[in-house]
Amino acid sequence: MKKAIAILLCMLMSFAMLGCSNNDASVEPSAPVDNNTPAESQNPEQTNTAEPAQEGVNVAENSDIVVVTGSDMVTFYPINAANTLDGGIQKLMMDGLVGFDKDYKLIWMLATDCEANEDSTEYTFHLRQGISFQDGTPWNAEAAKVNLDIMANQELKYKKSSNYRMIDHTEVVDEYTIKVYLKYSFGAFINYLAHPSALMVSPTQLQNDPDSVETGAIGSGQYSLIEWRPGEYWKLALNREWWGYDKEICGGEALVANNAGFNTITFKPISEAATRVAMLMAKEAEMGGASSTYVETLTGAGLTVEYQTTGLSLTYLYMNCQKELFKDVRVRKAINMAIDIDTMINVTEGGAAARADSYITPAVSYYSSQAAELYKYDIEAAKALLEEAGYPNGFEVTMWTMNNSSSVQRGEFIQQQLEQIGIKVNVVPCESGVLSSNVSGYSGDPAETGYDMYLRGFSPSTGDADQGLARFSTAMFMPAGSNYCLYSNADYDVLMEKGVATSNSDERAAIYAEAQKLIWDECPCVPLFFTTDGYVYNPEKISNVCYYPDGSFYLRDGVYVG
Amino acid sequence: MKKDNKTDQNTDIRTPFSEFVRKFKKQKTAVAASIVLLLIVLIAIFADFVAQYGINDYNYSEMLQGPSAKHLFGTDEFGRDIFSRIVYGARISLAIGFGAVSLAAILGAILGLISGYYGGIVDSIIMRVCDVLFAFPGLILAIAIVAILGPGLYNVVIAVIVFRTPTFARLVRGTTLQMKDSVYVQAARSLGASDARLLFTHILPSALPSVIVQYSISIGGSIMTAASLSFLGMGAAPPTPEWGLMLSNARTYVFMCWHYAVFPGLAIFLTVLCFNLVGDGLRSALDPKLTD
């Protein structure tokens, strides 16, 4: 009898490991989850009891949905958020002066229009009237000034501060007019203000309790944060007073239909792809990202899988150019030649990606293809280059990446490829938040950076070439920027300055074309592939949801149908 | 033949060892488990002859294939042969199991002897440290240690040693306390035997049976701990064919390829089960209180 129990236990333990994927990154024991999220929806009587009095907002009280994400929130403070996921969530809670629609066309949000002088150095914004933040603070030029001044202050060294390094000062003209003076002419300024890092936070919160912004910013947006339990979930509730539902404030036509939105949205970070898929199939979640590996499994379960039409994200293998090894361009070229990217797309991406032929994707403005100059997969040539550079027997490097299964798999593929030219890669997977802080924790001393290589995607959420390309310039070293290569080249820096000094698109196109050619030859990283992110949702419960081109959730128009 | 046996029985004195062998042989499951275990150990030692492929022989045109004559257990996401990887993985798991637990047993025995024999403040310090370590569930302690030291197989070994040592220390201390004032130890002491001689040649052998049983059971548990840590991404780094790591990679494909998750899981299951069954058998054979 004892033995039978022992066998049973043993079996259970061995196979239970398959199931315990949920917590694979969290180290500390966490408090039991209180599963109050779906509780309201268990009561069918409550259906369609939305109060019609509320400005015509017609969102059912029981329209609670769960969305699964690949990683946890890092911060709710827009200017300090470096992750695409964070930006997308913040866009639900806060509005900027300008924003994007789902096709990434600019739309006016908290401003109604803007006048710029001829040099693009002075921008005058007229603000939308009749809006207040969720804490009751009115939205006016003073509120805008508080936010813009924080963004412009480079000494604060927030992760996205460098996006606004061109702002010189701001001036309140009248209650609903604000003027922004730039240090130099900057053609892409409006695009930058549409980036999630320019979302407006309540000035009351910024002034009285700035620390709380990181864990729960108060904005003027469609949703407000109810609770964030790191590692478990964060939950947003619909702001029925949102100005986007109000025809008058929006100037004729409301921004969204009166039935758009969900009573609450609970986001659950699940780093394991298979667990996310299992949750979606079990209808425990209504939406999530979908890797191409699972398309058949998911559609078979009655879920809808769709792909982005245009994508901004590109997966890079950054080489730390401050390390002695990668200072030599021959070594960097050898690595570019030793990775068979076409095979990689088939093996790790299930074919759902296209080989990168520049440092930005075709959806980013001023993209210029380097297809004629592609580094051909050639092991012998790569070996010869390494030998020429003085490393005939290769070397050993450390590569950092995220700990989700697809990132680790990509890392392992690169490990196999580089082994062919004698480079031993130690893959170090790390949880997204820890990884971001380790990478940005660069102290200013190049010798202190922990990684030799860093594998990660990036999507320039402004959609402008400046954001995608200027980050490889010297000014964009961490922590203020995201020059993960720590690459520094005076010629390139000059081009990047010229690129934003004008708003003439022909001139800009020429400058960025030259820059893309230059950086392609210099290859501080391996641009691997353009990713078209797939997303999956349960069509019986929700509709009108998709991804922004930068790969973050677009839920503004979402409708609950279940 | 029959005659030989008879004479053997007549002339042989019943030594503790022959008694142990006789009792152990009666445990059918334990004997079967030992044979399987021996097989696993042999496979691990002669992995180079058993495995048809290397651990990192990827072949992108044969990804995620089911079991076939060419690939006994199928292939993984890089087209590597799962059977070969499991065979090589046995080396890692067994090395961690035997290595870490042997070190823990030696360290624990020494601490237990010192603690039990000398008593006083030394005893208090050693036992309170053990109590602190006992206060944590094993795996949590191991995770904490690896989190401090950083991921890697060597750190997994250290973690296993740290959380296995107190068990051995306490076990040996108990026997030492019982034996240190027994008549035969007093006799040896009166003959002028040194402390070291008393501890290692007179007291330690009395503790051996319980240490051996604990040793066998601990190995199974330690293999499981090491696999769990690798599964959580805190142990072996890719492309090491560690069983837990393989299982972790297999999760992504659990909907499409049953074989990828099942075989590494079975390998862990079988090995741990055998160690536990052998441990059970040893306990029955070595415990004087249990009669046949």
Side-chain angles (χ1 to χ4, degrees), chain A residues 274-291:
Chain A
T275 313
R276 287 200 297 275
V277 169
M279 286 178 74
L280 287 159
M281 284 167 60
K283 312 279 151 80
E284 279 176 47
E286 275 72 38
M287 190 185 183
S291 123

Side-chain angles (χ1 to χ4, degrees), chain B residues 78-96:
Chain B
F78 296 115
R80 297 176 297 200
D81 184 55
I82 294 178
F83 176 74
S84 305
R85 285 175 64 77
I86 289 181
V87 165
Y88 279 104
R91 280 186 175 174
I92 298 168
S93 290
L94 292 178
I96 292 178

Side-chain angles (χ1 to χ4, degrees), chain A residues 18-19 21 272-275 277-278 293-294 297, chain B residues 64 247-262:
Chain A
L18 266 175
S21 48
E272 191 48 52
T275 313
V277 169
T293 332
Y294 297 112
T297 317
Chain B
L64 295 166
L247 204 50
S248 166
N249 290 343
R251 280 178 303 172
T252 311
Y253 307 97
V254 82
F255 296 110
M256 292 89 80
C257 314
W258 60 273
H259 65 272
Y260 190 7
V262 163

Side-chain angles (χ1 to χ4, degrees), chain A residues 324-343:
Chain A
E324 211 46 53
L325 269 176
F326 295 122
K327 280 186 179 160
D328 193 330
V329 70
R330 288 170 298 190
V331 175
R332 304 201 297 259
K333 281 196 170 142
I335 287 176
N336 267 279
M337 292 162 91
I339 299 174
D340 183 354
I341 298 174
D342 294 321
T343 306

Side-chain angles (χ1 to χ4, degrees), chain A residues 36-327:
Chain A
N36 58 9
T37 332
E40 288 154 286
S41 60
Q42 278 163 9
N43 189 350
E45 265 101 336
Q46 276 189 358
T47 328
N48 299 329
T49 49
E51 294 157 46
Q54 297 265 7
E55 289 291 328
V57 179
N58 182 24
V59 176
E61 292 283 346
N62 70 342
S63 54
D64 305 298
I65 66 164
V66 176
V67 177
V68 281
T69 67
S71 51
D72 200 358
M73 263 326 255
V74 177
T75 174
F76 285 93
Y77 201 167
I79 189 72
N80 204 20
N83 294 2
T84 307
L85 169 76
D86 292 23
I89 302 298
Q90 288 159 5
K91 277 197 247 185
L92 288 168
M93 298 161 54
M94 290 163 264
D95 302 310
L97 293 168
V98 267
F100 289 115
D101 69 3
K102 65 177 171 188
D103 300 319
Y104 245 53
K105 278 209 296 275
L106 287 170
I107 52 173
W108 293 106
M109 296 293 281
L110 293 179
T112 50
D113 57 65
C114 164
E115 294 144 16
N117 68 351
E118 267 183 31
D119 299 344
S120 312
T121 53
E122 290 172 25
Y123 288 81
T124 310
F125 292 93
H126 299 286
L127 307 184
R128 203 178 287 281
Q129 302 187 12
I131 298 174
S132 42
F133 289 96
Q134 286 163 9
D135 61 359
T137 315
W139 162 248
N140 53 29
E142 274 303 329
K145 184 175 165 57
V146 171
N147 275 282
L148 287 165
D149 287 350
I150 290 176
M151 283 150 59
N153 187 347
Q154 296 301 304
E155 275 162 30
L156 295 173
K157 286 206 188 306
Y158 286 124
K159 289 197 188 109
K160 290 291 167 188
S161 289
S162 61
N163 275 4
Y164 307 100
R165 63 195 182 281
M166 67 301 231
I167 298 179
D168 188 59
H169 68 283
T170 53
E171 182 191 301
V172 175
V173 179
D174 62 42
E175 201 184 349
Y176 291 106
T177 312
I178 186 163
K179 200 163 179 183
V180 182
Y181 295 88
L182 305 188
K183 288 175 190 153
Y184 41 85
S185 61
F186 193 89
F189 187 54
I190 301 285
N191 272 69
Y192 271 82
L193 289 178
H195 186 270
S197 57
L199 293 168
M200 298 287 146
V201 183
S202 160
T204 315
Q205 189 188 19
L206 283 173
Q207 282 160 346
N208 296 345
D209 195 3
D211 293 338
S212 70
V213 185
E214 297 272 359
T215 53
I218 299 170
S220 58
Q222 191 179 9
Y223 291 89
S224 59
L225 180 74
I226 302 180
E227 195 186 15
W228 177 29
R229 286 206 189 184
E232 288 178 34
Y233 66 88
W234 65 95
K235 190 172 178 180
L236 306 184
L238 188 67
N239 169 20
R240 289 169 190 274
E241 316 275 327
W242 185 45
W243 59 269
Y245 291 116
D246 192 317
K247 277 182 205 160
E248 280 167 35
I249 297 179
C250 292
E253 200 181 336
L255 187 62
V256 295
N258 69 346
N259 65 345
F262 306 102
N263 188 42
T264 64
I265 310 175
T266 307
F267 292 88
K268 293 189 177 174
I270 312 278
S271 65
E272 191 48 52
T275 313
R276 287 200 297 275
V277 169
M279 286 178 74
L280 287 159
M281 284 167 60
K283 312 279 151 80
E284 279 176 47
E286 275 72 38
M287 190 185 183
S291 123
S292 54
T293 332
Y294 297 112
V295 173
E296 280 175 39
T297 317
L298 288 163
T299 45
L303 300 165
T304 305
V305 180
E306 281 167 9
Y307 285 90
Q308 287 173 310
T309 42
T310 47
L312 294 173
S313 41
L314 204 162
T315 303
Y316 300 87
L317 174 64
Y318 302 102
M319 291 176 261
N320 183 343
C321 297
Q322 294 295 322
K323 301 267 173 174
E324 211 46 53
L325 269 176
F326 295 122
K327 280 186 179 160

Side-chain angles (χ1 to χ4, degrees), chain A residues 402-515:
Chain A
M402 285 201 282
N403 70 343
N404 61 45
S405 32
S406 50
S407 297
V408 175
Q409 200 190 343
R410 286 171 193 158
E412 212 173 330
F413 183 89
I414 289 166
Q415 189 180 48
Q416 290 166 2
Q417 295 283 299
L418 295 185
E419 205 188 327
Q420 302 176 94
I421 57 168
I423 300 177
K424 185 173 184 301
V425 182
N426 299 311
V427 182
V428 182
C430 196
E431 192 270 324
S432 149
V434 179
L435 187 64
S436 294
S437 74
N438 283 352
V439 168
S440 298
Y442 167 74
S443 63
D445 177 5
E448 300 254 319
T449 34
Y451 60 90
D452 301 310
M453 289 183 178
Y454 178 32
L455 175 67
R456 188 142 194 197
F458 184 88
S459 56
S461 296
T462 60
D464 187 83
D466 179 58
Q467 200 200 359
L469 293 172
R471 69 195 197 88
F472 294 105
S473 64
T474 316
M476 299 293 272
F477 275 20
M478 296 90 72
S482 45
N483 186 350
Y484 300 134
C485 298
L486 294 165
Y487 170 71
S488 179
N489 177 329
D491 295 339
Y492 191 77
D493 293 352
V494 169
L495 280 174
M496 286 303 113
E497 279 166 26
K498 273 163 65 182
V500 286
T502 169
S503 43
N504 180 317
S505 41
D506 292 341
E507 276 177 49
R508 293 192 75 200
I511 293 164
Y512 287 123
E514 192 186 337

